[in-house]
Amino acid sequence: MKLKIAIQKSGRLHEESLHLLKKCGIRLNSGTGQLKAEADNFPIEVFFLRDDDIPQYVEDAVADIGIVGENVFYEKNRKAKLIKKLGFGKCRLSLAYPKNKSLQRLQDLNGKRIATSYPFLLAKFLKQNHVRAEIHEISGSVEIAPSIGLADAICDLVSSGSTLLTNGLKEGEIILQSEAVIVANKTLSAAKQAILKKLTFRINALQQAQSNKYILLNAPNAKLEKICAILPGMKSPTILPLAQKGWSSVHSVVNENEFWEIIEELKTQGAQGILVVPIEKMIS
Ligand code: ATP
Ligand code: ZN
């Protein structure tokens, strides 16, 4: 029994999707460029597809799970379950307006034409906001539509905004924040669910590791109590005596969000020789 996973054949999500599987310890036997690859150390089979097709393949159970952008997943509106956000392929679906026109915000779009590759999500957004505009669906190079007179504004994916700028456009309202996600067929067998659980367990371990750092420091014994109170650790900090009398080495795990504040406090409490080390996997 193997879990069939669909990932993008080539494009922005391809590398990171493969890299994720690799970091989960999954070794694929054939390179890219092929339609299919198998792992020799995990019950998984990888299909390389166009991202637009992935939601449908997952709904139809041609693939059991897939990695796609939320933008594609919600646009295609297929029956599949969102399992996990993956933290890469971040972008947003936004409206954008020509810089030098009077048209500047959503309410100005009444009676106008908007070019997009996301007609479903755009229509929903316009309806929610009581704007009546004509949606002009095009499959690529949406950003040039206003300059060639095809549309008055566009709705497209943005990450840095540089593509908009070079086309004389300005980002407006954000319709959707998106990142790559795992989606799954709604009726996976128990055996396949078990494989998926194994996979998500590994991904969770990677994600936890990424948002935490291992920290080592030296502290005078007299200050240990105060220093340990600052450091949470997974259970509690590890304390080891140093060869030098009266000093200890303290080890702990610190969340990235609190990291700099904790370092400041540690220094004030007399911690020295602070080392911060990345964590590869973390299982709590
Ligand atoms: P395919 O040939 O598979 O249809 P594509 O041209 O539709 O590829 P890509 O441009 O490779 O797709 O983008 C794939 C996904 O990467 C997007 O659907 C989106 O989720 C994500 N992404 C992240 N940043 C951006 C960006 N700045 N522009 C477009 N997509 C982005
Ligand atoms: Zn695509």
Side-chain angles (χ1 to χ4, degrees), residues 14 43 61 74 86 96 101 107 121 172 179-181:
H14 175 78
Y74 292 124
L86 297 174
K101 296 265 174 65
Q107 300 309 323
L121 289 176
E179 64 186 88
V181 291

Side-chain angles (χ1 to χ4, degrees), residues 11 23 42 47 82 97 101 113 117 134 144 151 176 190-191 208 219 228 234-235 245 279 284:
K23 281 189 297 185
F42 195 83
F47 290 90
L82 196 153
Y97 306 93
K101 296 265 174 65
R113 262 198 311 181
S117 309
E134 186 190 327
I144 64 165
L176 176 77
Q208 278 213 47
C228 290
M234 281 178 84
K235 264 211 165 62
K245 248 192 150 187
I279 300 170
S284 47

Side-chain angles (χ1 to χ4, degrees), residues 8 10-13 50-52 69 71-72 89-91 157 159:
Q8 195 187 21
S10 64
R12 292 173 197 262
L13 301 181
R50 280 201 60 199
D51 65 347
D52 311 65
N71 52 313
V72 171
K90 287 194 178 170
C91 57
L157 294 180
S159 49

Side-chain angles (χ1 to χ4, degrees), residues 32-72:
T32 55
Q34 315 264 343
L35 184 68
K36 223 169 89 169
E38 284 188 26
D40 52 28
N41 61 352
F42 195 83
I44 203 166
E45 206 175 352
V46 184
F47 290 90
F48 300 105
L49 300 166
R50 280 201 60 199
D51 65 347
D52 311 65
D53 298 333
I54 292 176
Q56 175 163 10
Y57 279 119
V58 170
E59 177 181 320
D60 297 344
V62 176
D64 300 309
I65 65 172
I67 298 181
V68 274
E70 287 173 283
N71 52 313
V72 171

Side-chain angles (χ1 to χ4, degrees), residues 68-267:
V68 274
E70 287 173 283
N71 52 313
V72 171
F73 179 54
Y74 292 124
E75 173 65 28
K76 299 297 174 190
N77 197 26
R78 292 284 173 175
K79 292 190 194 72
K81 209 158 85 184
L82 196 153
I83 301 292
K84 189 148 198 46
K85 297 201 183 210
L86 297 174
F88 61 85
K90 287 194 178 170
C91 57
R92 49 197 188 272
L93 183 67
S94 294
L95 283 161
Y97 306 93
K99 255 197 218 125
N100 309 317
K101 296 265 174 65
S102 57
L103 212 114
Q104 290 302 325
R105 47 189 200 100
L106 190 56
Q107 300 309 323
D108 303 335
L109 288 173
N110 272 304
K112 302 287 188 207
R113 262 198 311 181
I114 313 170
T116 189
S117 309
Y118 294 85
F120 177 77
L121 289 176
L122 176 59
K124 202 162 105 182
F125 182 78
L126 292 177
K127 194 168 172 215
Q128 277 166 0
N129 289 282
H130 312 289
V131 172
R132 281 168 182 273
E134 186 190 327
I135 297 174
H136 192 85
E137 184 180 354
I138 43 181
S139 59
S141 304
V142 172
E143 66 282 356
I144 64 165
S147 60
I148 59 172
L150 203 63
D152 302 295
I154 68 164
C155 160
D156 202 8
L157 294 180
V158 184
S159 49
S160 68
S162 58
T163 311
L164 291 185
L165 268 181
T166 50
N167 286 283
L169 299 165
K170 199 176 74 185
E171 187 175 358
E173 295 81 2
I174 296 172
I175 294 181
L176 176 77
Q177 294 279 4
S178 175
E179 64 186 88
V181 291
I182 293 187
V183 296
N185 179 273
K186 286 199 161 170
T187 53
L188 287 184
S189 68
K192 286 188 170 176
Q193 278 182 37
I195 305 173
L196 176 57
K197 206 168 159 199
K198 255 186 161 173
L199 180 67
T200 51
F201 175 81
R202 294 187 187 188
I203 296 171
N204 288 341
L206 291 172
Q207 288 181 341
Q208 278 213 47
Q210 264 165 15
S211 54
N212 286 279
K213 299 273 181 254
Y214 193 75
I215 180 167
L216 304 93
L217 58 89
N218 295 331
N221 289 346
K223 295 280 188 174
L224 277 179
E225 207 173 319
K226 282 203 164 133
I227 284 181
C228 290
I230 303 169
L231 287 169
M234 281 178 84
K235 264 211 165 62
S236 68
T238 307
I239 300 174
L240 303 165
L242 286 188
Q244 185 181 342
K245 248 192 150 187
W247 282 76
S248 297
S249 168
V250 181
H251 300 199
S252 189
V253 171
V254 174
N255 190 282
E256 210 171 34
N257 300 328
E258 316 157 20
F259 180 76
W260 290 110
E261 274 172 41
I262 289 185
I263 297 282
E264 285 303 318
E265 286 181 57
L266 290 172
K267 275 169 55 189

